[in-house]
Amino acid sequence: MPKLRVHVTITLDGYIAGPGQRLEDPLGEGGTRMHEWVFAAWEDRRSGKGGLDVEVLDRADANIGATIMGRNMFGPVRGEWPDESWRGWWGEEPPYHHDVFVLTHHTRPDLPMAGGTTFHFTDEPIERVLERAFAAADGRDVRLGGGAAAIQQYLSAGLVDELELSIAPLLLGGGERLLDNVGTTMAGYRVTEMVSSAAATHARLVRK
């Protein structure tokens, strides 16, 4: 049965992004440091090297047929769209290559991009968005991207099947905390794996 999965990097003090996200700093202040393990693993994968961190990246991409993300993950524009010139952080060929559903209070027309990615901007209830994502995924899993608020909504609704948290060995001190505002939801998960590389600790949690 298809699953809703979360794969994110988190700091020791619980943040998945730094404060002050803006065009020049899409991960917020200090956010780039927490993803150093990702950048190194990308380079290893491109050069044909393996290793635990590469395995985690591969696992995050495996069997994903659609993505859901929050408005902040799509870009730095807030409130009403002044125009439709902002097309995401990723250039004309985003890395998704499937349908991406962007949660927003301010909808705009669908945005087809090169490589098979189409962004859909929706203000529908999160349950309906998940239904649409599963339909688009056509039997594969759906990945839930950031930001923290989007993940918290789906966790609080009991809709997330699996989380893989890559724990970066640093303290950020501010920004967006992942597990705030979810009450006792996390008591419904169990840790099925926890392994460490030199750069990060990777914990897999599944719903009980």
Side-chain angles (χ1 to χ4, degrees):
M1 184 174 177
K3 299 174 181 177
L4 178 62
R5 293 159 40 194
V6 173
H7 299 264
V8 294
T9 298
I10 186 170
T11 64
L12 288 172
D13 50 350
Y15 294 95
I16 64 168
Q21 182 195 41
R22 56 190 183 278
L23 183 61
E24 300 79 12
D25 203 352
L27 299 175
E29 297 169 16
T32 300
R33 291 188 296 137
M34 63 187 290
H35 291 89
E36 287 176 356
W37 78 269
V38 177
F39 306 139
W42 279 340
E43 289 301 321
D44 285 346
R45 185 163 62 182
R46 275 195 287 263
S47 63
K49 296 180 183 177
L52 175 60
D53 294 335
V54 174
E55 292 174 11
V56 170
L57 284 185
D58 290 343
R59 189 161 65 201
D61 292 335
N63 197 43
I64 297 295
T67 294
I68 299 171
M69 68 172 61
R71 165 80 177 266
N72 289 3
M73 185 171 174
F74 179 74
V77 182
R78 303 292 183 261
E80 293 283 354
W81 301 97
D83 52 44
E84 296 172 12
S85 60
W86 180 258
R87 297 166 64 86
W89 303 104
W90 307 277
E92 288 301 308
E93 187 170 350
Y96 301 100
H97 311 296
H98 53 229
D99 288 291
V100 177
F101 296 86
V102 181
L103 307 176
T104 176
H105 296 298
H106 303 280
T107 60
R108 55 183 273 190
D110 290 351
L111 177 59
M113 305 286 284
T117 298
T118 298
F119 291 103
H120 306 276
F121 303 88
T122 175
D123 60 357
E124 297 170 296
I126 60 171
E127 295 84 358
R128 173 55 183 153
V129 177
L130 183 57
E131 290 176 2
R132 292 180 61 193
F134 275 136
D138 194 23
R140 291 177 289 170
D141 294 341
V142 173
R143 179 168 179 170
L144 174 59
I151 297 173
Q152 289 166 6
Q153 288 182 67
Y154 279 93
L155 281 172
S156 296
L159 296 172
V160 176
D161 297 296
E162 294 185 5
L163 299 94
E164 183 144 27
L165 306 180
S166 295
I167 305 163
L170 62 89
L171 301 170
L172 203 54
E176 295 186 10
R177 287 176 54 87
L178 177 63
L179 299 180
D180 286 352
N181 310 310
V182 296
T184 60
T185 297
M186 298 312 297
Y189 292 84
R190 59 189 176 90
V191 178
T192 61
E193 181 181 5
M194 181 172 282
V195 292
S196 296
S197 69
T201 295
H202 306 286
R204 183 187 290 185
L205 297 82
V206 299
R207 193 160 51 180
K208 294 178 181 177

